[in-house]
Amino acid sequence: MSADVIDGKEFSLRVRNKVAEGVAKLKKDYGVKPGLAVVLVGEDPASQVYVRSKGKQTVEAGMNSYEHTLDATTSESDLLKLISKLNEDPDVHGILVQLPLPGHLNEDLVINSIAPQKDVDGFHISNVGMLGTGQKSMVPCTPLGCLMMLRDYHGSLSGLDAVVIGRSNIVGKPMAQLLLGDSCTVTIAHSRTKDLKDVVKRADIVVAAVGRAEMVPGDWIKEGATVIDVGINRIDKPEGGTRLVGDVDYDSCSAVAGAVTPVPGGVGPMTIACLLANTLTAACRANNVEEPVGLTA
Ligand code: NDP
């Protein structure tokens, strides 16, 4: 058996089109153009690439993109002043501070200074708490993208056994909350989990968010399970050069699984699509306008 491929590239295009439709309607019916402010501190090359790509896709969806690039030596108080200004700006509906920040800046303090309703990354402690208590919140983009793909593939997730490998605040924990919200029976595994193979083997849904290249082999996967691979790892090719792989061993897993997301082209493209979705959601909420269905949890 060969697993269905859950095509994140194609699905993210559908999400972005839906966002663009929602943006056009918001502009036409209410005169509101959603705006996303992205703050980048320093010159980390990978972050620069992400920020450029976010800005481009924001504009393509019909929204305003405001990029704020600050020097790596920017003080915490200057960064907080900028965030405070963006919090007050009615044209800015979403604020994203690109992580990681340079070492002298306190990430928790900075993230928690963003107005929760503009926190399109969903990392503010209020949004974390609201997600955990089943209240309407801004939901972290990567797990939101995984949830959208799972719902699209399965319809209802109710009663399914889900194992999330990884317990980070950015992916693992919010992913587990979202699956719980959809009535899965959820296990969170991590580096201290005993008998990880047995834990994973009983899952109908496996979400791997570890950061270890091809760590999950096919013989850990229950036949017919759905495997969502969040990992992005660059490895050397035998013939020279490098390539991207996920946290699951794609070939052996897809021989057993019912469905699997590839790397690249799976979860990755969904993350920015969900950032755009969150910006539209934030703009709708700020203007007491009904949110488009299917763009949030
Ligand atoms: P973190 O490093 O923050 O967390 C990794 C988690 O994996 C930890 O909870 C850790 O456990 C667990 N872990 C590490 N080794 C093992 C092991 N041998 N067995 C079981 N669990 C283990 O990573 P992130 O959550 O930020 O990211 C995970 C992956 O997802 C990375 O490859 C990252 O690049 C990718 N990513 C992809 C995104 C996308 O858009 N597609 C977005 C965000 C991340 P412990 O807590 O015990 O240390």
Side-chain angles (χ1 to χ4, degrees), residues 147-164:
L147 182 75
M148 283 183 188
M149 290 195 285
L150 284 166
R151 282 178 175 171
D152 185 65
Y153 186 76
H154 280 275
S156 169
L157 306 181
S158 180
L160 296 178
D161 248 307
V163 171
V164 179

mmCIF file of all heavy atoms in Angstrom, residues 147-164:
data_model
loop_
_atom_site.group_PDB
_atom_site.id
_atom_site.type_symbol
_atom_site.label_atom_id
_atom_site.label_comp_id
_atom_site.label_asym_id
_atom_site.label_seq_id
_atom_site.Cartn_x
_atom_site.Cartn_y
_atom_site.Cartn_z
ATOM 1 N N LEU A 147 -3.849 21.115 11.815
ATOM 2 C CA LEU A 147 -5.251 20.805 12.130
ATOM 3 C C LEU A 147 -6.128 20.938 10.884
ATOM 4 O O LEU A 147 -6.977 20.077 10.622
ATOM 5 C CB LEU A 147 -5.760 21.758 13.229
ATOM 6 C CG LEU A 147 -7.199 21.497 13.672
ATOM 7 C CD1 LEU A 147 -7.271 20.254 14.558
ATOM 8 C CD2 LEU A 147 -7.788 22.700 14.411
ATOM 9 N N MET A 148 -5.911 22.006 10.121
ATOM 10 C CA MET A 148 -6.717 22.203 8.907
ATOM 11 C C MET A 148 -6.544 21.020 7.950
ATOM 12 O O MET A 148 -7.502 20.527 7.372
ATOM 13 C CB MET A 148 -6.289 23.480 8.179
ATOM 14 C CG MET A 148 -6.800 24.751 8.794
ATOM 15 S SD MET A 148 -6.255 26.111 7.718
ATOM 16 C CE MET A 148 -6.737 27.518 8.704
ATOM 17 N N MET A 149 -5.305 20.570 7.789
ATOM 18 C CA MET A 149 -5.058 19.453 6.868
ATOM 19 C C MET A 149 -5.717 18.173 7.384
ATOM 20 O O MET A 149 -6.289 17.408 6.611
ATOM 21 C CB MET A 149 -3.550 19.243 6.668
ATOM 22 C CG MET A 149 -2.911 20.364 5.863
ATOM 23 S SD MET A 149 -1.271 19.960 5.231
ATOM 24 C CE MET A 149 -0.318 20.097 6.706
ATOM 25 N N LEU A 150 -5.634 17.959 8.704
ATOM 26 C CA LEU A 150 -6.243 16.746 9.281
ATOM 27 C C LEU A 150 -7.763 16.775 9.132
ATOM 28 O O LEU A 150 -8.385 15.778 8.776
ATOM 29 C CB LEU A 150 -5.854 16.630 10.771
ATOM 30 C CG LEU A 150 -4.430 16.148 11.017
ATOM 31 C CD1 LEU A 150 -4.013 16.382 12.466
ATOM 32 C CD2 LEU A 150 -4.311 14.651 10.682
ATOM 33 N N ARG A 151 -8.358 17.946 9.397
ATOM 34 C CA ARG A 151 -9.816 18.055 9.256
ATOM 35 C C ARG A 151 -10.233 17.847 7.803
ATOM 36 O O ARG A 151 -11.233 17.204 7.515
ATOM 37 C CB ARG A 151 -10.277 19.442 9.706
ATOM 38 C CG ARG A 151 -10.347 19.601 11.208
ATOM 39 C CD ARG A 151 -10.779 21.033 11.510
ATOM 40 N NE ARG A 151 -10.977 21.247 12.931
ATOM 41 C CZ ARG A 151 -11.178 22.453 13.465
ATOM 42 N NH1 ARG A 151 -11.198 23.528 12.692
ATOM 43 N NH2 ARG A 151 -11.362 22.585 14.763
ATOM 44 N N ASP A 152 -9.443 18.402 6.904
ATOM 45 C CA ASP A 152 -9.773 18.282 5.491
ATOM 46 C C ASP A 152 -9.696 16.819 5.049
ATOM 47 O O ASP A 152 -10.532 16.346 4.289
ATOM 48 C CB ASP A 152 -8.788 19.130 4.667
ATOM 49 C CG ASP A 152 -9.140 19.140 3.186
ATOM 50 O OD1 ASP A 152 -10.210 19.679 2.853
ATOM 51 O OD2 ASP A 152 -8.369 18.597 2.379
ATOM 52 N N TYR A 153 -8.709 16.109 5.563
ATOM 53 C CA TYR A 153 -8.524 14.722 5.138
ATOM 54 C C TYR A 153 -9.543 13.788 5.800
ATOM 55 O O TYR A 153 -10.102 12.908 5.165
ATOM 56 C CB TYR A 153 -7.092 14.258 5.451
ATOM 57 C CG TYR A 153 -6.811 12.878 4.900
ATOM 58 C CD1 TYR A 153 -6.587 12.688 3.540
ATOM 59 C CD2 TYR A 153 -6.804 11.769 5.739
ATOM 60 C CE1 TYR A 153 -6.372 11.420 3.022
ATOM 61 C CE2 TYR A 153 -6.583 10.495 5.236
ATOM 62 C CZ TYR A 153 -6.361 10.326 3.878
ATOM 63 O OH TYR A 153 -6.151 9.061 3.366
ATOM 64 N N HIS A 154 -9.751 13.986 7.125
ATOM 65 C CA HIS A 154 -10.565 13.032 7.895
ATOM 66 C C HIS A 154 -12.025 13.431 8.034
ATOM 67 O O HIS A 154 -12.843 12.593 8.389
ATOM 68 C CB HIS A 154 -10.004 12.907 9.320
ATOM 69 C CG HIS A 154 -8.809 12.015 9.432
ATOM 70 N ND1 HIS A 154 -8.910 10.655 9.577
ATOM 71 C CD2 HIS A 154 -7.496 12.277 9.409
ATOM 72 C CE1 HIS A 154 -7.702 10.118 9.646
ATOM 73 N NE2 HIS A 154 -6.814 11.092 9.538
ATOM 74 N N GLY A 155 -12.327 14.708 7.850
ATOM 75 C CA GLY A 155 -13.644 15.168 8.305
ATOM 76 C C GLY A 155 -13.564 15.280 9.817
ATOM 77 O O GLY A 155 -12.775 16.059 10.334
ATOM 78 N N SER A 156 -14.295 14.430 10.540
ATOM 79 C CA SER A 156 -14.249 14.482 12.001
ATOM 80 C C SER A 156 -13.012 13.754 12.542
ATOM 81 O O SER A 156 -12.627 12.694 12.045
ATOM 82 C CB SER A 156 -15.497 13.826 12.572
ATOM 83 O OG SER A 156 -15.345 13.654 13.961
ATOM 84 N N LEU A 157 -12.409 14.339 13.594
ATOM 85 C CA LEU A 157 -11.266 13.688 14.251
ATOM 86 C C LEU A 157 -11.701 13.024 15.562
ATOM 87 O O LEU A 157 -10.881 12.422 16.261
ATOM 88 C CB LEU A 157 -10.170 14.721 14.551
ATOM 89 C CG LEU A 157 -9.660 15.563 13.378
ATOM 90 C CD1 LEU A 157 -8.573 16.520 13.851
ATOM 91 C CD2 LEU A 157 -9.127 14.674 12.253
ATOM 92 N N SER A 158 -12.963 13.157 15.868
ATOM 93 C CA SER A 158 -13.485 12.725 17.165
ATOM 94 C C SER A 158 -13.175 11.258 17.457
ATOM 95 O O SER A 158 -13.441 10.382 16.635
ATOM 96 C CB SER A 158 -15.000 12.950 17.183
ATOM 97 O OG SER A 158 -15.509 12.550 18.425
ATOM 98 N N GLY A 159 -12.591 11.025 18.624
ATOM 99 C CA GLY A 159 -12.328 9.658 19.086
ATOM 100 C C GLY A 159 -11.054 9.039 18.554
ATOM 101 O O GLY A 159 -10.669 7.950 18.978
ATOM 102 N N LEU A 160 -10.372 9.741 17.648
ATOM 103 C CA LEU A 160 -9.132 9.162 17.105
ATOM 104 C C LEU A 160 -7.999 9.281 18.135
ATOM 105 O O LEU A 160 -7.947 10.214 18.925
ATOM 106 C CB LEU A 160 -8.728 9.864 15.800
ATOM 107 C CG LEU A 160 -9.703 9.702 14.624
ATOM 108 C CD1 LEU A 160 -9.220 10.476 13.408
ATOM 109 C CD2 LEU A 160 -9.872 8.218 14.265
ATOM 110 N N ASP A 161 -7.107 8.299 18.102
ATOM 111 C CA ASP A 161 -5.928 8.309 18.968
ATOM 112 C C ASP A 161 -4.839 9.132 18.303
ATOM 113 O O ASP A 161 -4.419 8.805 17.184
ATOM 114 C CB ASP A 161 -5.407 6.872 19.114
ATOM 115 C CG ASP A 161 -5.595 6.367 20.508
ATOM 116 O OD1 ASP A 161 -5.146 7.069 21.431
ATOM 117 O OD2 ASP A 161 -6.187 5.276 20.662
ATOM 118 N N ALA A 162 -4.380 10.208 18.950
ATOM 119 C CA ALA A 162 -3.357 11.064 18.334
ATOM 120 C C ALA A 162 -2.113 11.102 19.220
ATOM 121 O O ALA A 162 -2.219 11.242 20.442
ATOM 122 C CB ALA A 162 -3.898 12.481 18.153
ATOM 123 N N VAL A 163 -0.963 10.958 18.607
ATOM 124 C CA VAL A 163 0.301 11.118 19.329
ATOM 125 C C VAL A 163 1.075 12.279 18.717
ATOM 126 O O VAL A 163 1.303 12.315 17.500
ATOM 127 C CB VAL A 163 1.152 9.824 19.277
ATOM 128 C CG1 VAL A 163 2.546 10.075 19.838
ATOM 129 C CG2 VAL A 163 0.474 8.713 20.059
ATOM 130 N N VAL A 164 1.408 13.249 19.560
ATOM 131 C CA VAL A 164 2.234 14.375 19.128
ATOM 132 C C VAL A 164 3.627 14.129 19.682
ATOM 133 O O VAL A 164 3.782 13.987 20.904
ATOM 134 C CB VAL A 164 1.674 15.716 19.675
ATOM 135 C CG1 VAL A 164 2.551 16.877 19.232
ATOM 136 C CG2 VAL A 164 0.232 15.921 19.232
#
